[in-house]
Amino acid sequence: MMISLTGVRRTLAASLLAGSVLAAPAAHALEIKSSDVHPMGYPTTDAIQYMSDLLDTWTAGRLKIKIFHSMQLGGEKEALEQVQVGALEMTRVSVGVVGPIVEEFNAFALPYFFKSVDHMHKVVDGEIGTNLQNKLEKGGLIGLGYMDAGSRSFYNNTRPIKSIEDLKGLKIRVMQNPIFIEMVNAMGGNGLPISFSELYTSLQTGVVDGAENNPPSYESGKHYEVAKYYTLTEHLMVPELFVFSKKVWDTLTPLDQQLIRKASVMAVEKERELWAAREQKSLAAIKALGYEVITDVDKAPFIAATEPVRMKFGEKYADLIKRAAAVK
């Protein structure tokens, strides 16, 4: 059965706000163990803490979440495997990690798959995103919601990128993914896969001229010190997922399942608020330090240049791409 965010809001809001859940028959207590690679204080971990507080309040302490942050239980792949077998109840992962389970998620990593943050929210919160989440059940997962992970944009230390011509010849660090390498190459740059841990030194020594990432990563990593021009090309917007173990989920009462879904909807809204604030804070900090942030960018040439990349890597997802593009 398809379960949408809107439907959960509509069917549960009245009962929760009226406090009727506290009068429901008692069920067993559960401490939900949740994993995240990020530290506490990050939008994703803060949102899950908010979710825990909601469940704790609604059930008088019967349901709560214990967050294992900062890779305490391993990386995203390891945590996901633990959730699949029921050793861990919940985790937050990038959609690329669930690509082997539902390959359509790989389409989200195509350049300019989403037109804007608002478009991304409408796609993932609507029929498309809901259908993809439901397909996760075949991999032993219950999809609870999509969180923001920011928009990736270019930065470099050679010249301001004010048009696609300014990318020509620049050596740009990308993640080790052929889509991202060809994306940069299609725009006229030279995509070089380098680990994030080596990026600062690579920028400092000229191994690469620039890189691409979201504003908080650029700011917190102090990459502005070695790459002073930041341009909001927003060529990638890859949402993230938090998922629950189906093995554990099937042992819960229908009421507890509803409570978790409702808290998940509210956690998604909280995370998106926190992420937007975090991005603005980072951009303000960069500008305050005197570094240039270029916001007036004509994205049309960037979108056109990357069309061959979407065609090559997105051929099997052509229908999905078409349906997503039609979402208003």
Side-chain angles (χ1 to χ4, degrees):
M1 179 179 67
M2 184 182 299
I3 302 174
S4 70
L5 293 180
T6 303
V8 172
R9 289 189 183 97
R10 185 170 55 248
T11 57
L12 288 178
S15 62
L16 288 173
L17 292 175
S20 61
V21 294
L22 297 179
H28 71 280
L30 175 64
E31 181 181 70
I32 299 166
K33 299 182 295 294
S34 183
S35 176
D36 201 309
V37 299
H38 297 300
M40 295 306 295
Y42 197 80
T44 57
T45 50
D46 280 358
I48 296 300
Q49 182 60 57
Y50 174 68
M51 179 178 173
S52 179
D53 293 342
L54 290 172
L55 291 172
D56 191 6
T57 299
W58 293 344
T59 64
R62 188 173 56 77
L63 295 178
K64 60 181 66 176
I65 302 172
K66 182 176 182 179
I67 303 172
F68 291 86
H69 56 88
S70 307
M71 297 183 67
Q72 293 178 57
L73 300 181
E76 292 186 356
K77 184 174 182 293
E78 292 79 11
L80 190 70
E81 290 170 349
Q82 293 179 62
V83 171
Q84 287 178 291
V85 299
L88 180 65
E89 284 79 21
M90 195 167 76
T91 190
R92 194 276 324 148
V93 296
S94 58
V95 294
V97 180
V98 297
I101 302 171
V102 180
E103 68 172 350
E104 291 97 324
F105 276 116
N106 294 323
F108 289 1
L110 295 172
Y112 293 108
F113 179 88
F114 297 110
K115 303 172 188 176
S116 65
V117 173
D118 181 60
H119 178 246
M120 177 179 69
H121 290 166
K122 289 178 179 177
V123 171
V124 299
D125 291 346
E127 182 180 359
I128 292 173
T130 301
N131 285 338
L132 292 181
Q133 277 197 132
N134 290 343
K135 289 183 179 182
L136 289 170
E137 289 197 29
K138 68 182 181 182
L141 304 169
I142 299 295
L144 292 180
Y146 295 88
M147 293 184 173
D148 284 2
S151 305
R152 299 179 74 94
S153 294
F154 290 114
Y155 53 91
N156 81 101
N157 201 40
T158 303
R159 55 181 173 265
I161 298 174
K162 297 184 177 180
S163 69
I164 194 167
E165 286 76 21
D166 294 324
L167 257 175
K168 188 173 183 180
L170 293 183
K171 296 174 291 184
I172 302 294
R173 177 266 175 185
V174 294
M175 293 180 285
Q176 297 184 350
N177 184 317
I179 295 176
F180 304 147
I181 295 170
E182 293 202 28
M183 172 191 72
V184 172
N185 294 347
M187 296 183 195
N190 182 13
L192 298 175
I194 295 175
S195 69
F196 187 78
S197 61
E198 299 174 0
L199 179 53
Y200 187 98
T201 302
S202 297
L203 287 164
Q204 192 175 40
T205 58
V207 173
V208 291
D209 302 305
E212 48 86 55
N213 215 319
N214 57 53
S217 295
Y218 174 68
E219 182 256 334
S220 63
K222 295 187 177 181
H223 290 173
Y224 51 79
E225 295 177 345
V226 285
K228 60 185 178 181
Y229 304 114
Y230 190 89
T231 303
L232 294 178
T233 50
E234 299 179 320
H235 49 269
L236 287 173
M237 297 179 188
V238 185
E240 300 185 336
L241 279 166
F242 63 117
V243 295
F244 204 93
S245 170
K246 187 176 187 300
K247 186 168 288 189
V248 179
W249 185 263
D250 290 342
T251 69
L252 301 177
T253 65
L255 175 60
D256 282 353
Q257 291 176 354
Q258 286 186 322
L259 290 175
I260 291 170
R261 283 202 181 275
K262 175 59 182 177
S264 297
V265 169
M266 297 175 72
V268 165
E269 293 172 346
K270 173 63 71 174
E271 193 274 344
R272 290 175 182 177
E273 290 173 6
L274 293 170
W275 184 267
R278 176 73 176 263
E279 280 200 335
Q280 290 306 309
K281 181 180 178 181
S282 293
L283 288 171
I286 295 163
K287 292 176 183 177
L289 289 168
Y291 296 97
E292 187 171 1
V293 178
I294 300 154
T295 59
D296 185 18
V297 182
D298 180 6
K299 295 179 184 176
F302 294 88
I303 296 171
T306 52
E307 177 62 19
V309 180
R310 286 188 295 279
M311 291 181 64
K312 176 180 178 179
F313 292 98
E315 183 178 3
K316 63 176 68 175
Y317 317 121
D319 181 63
L320 175 63
I321 295 171
K322 183 179 179 180
R323 287 188 290 120
V327 173
K328 303 298 182 182

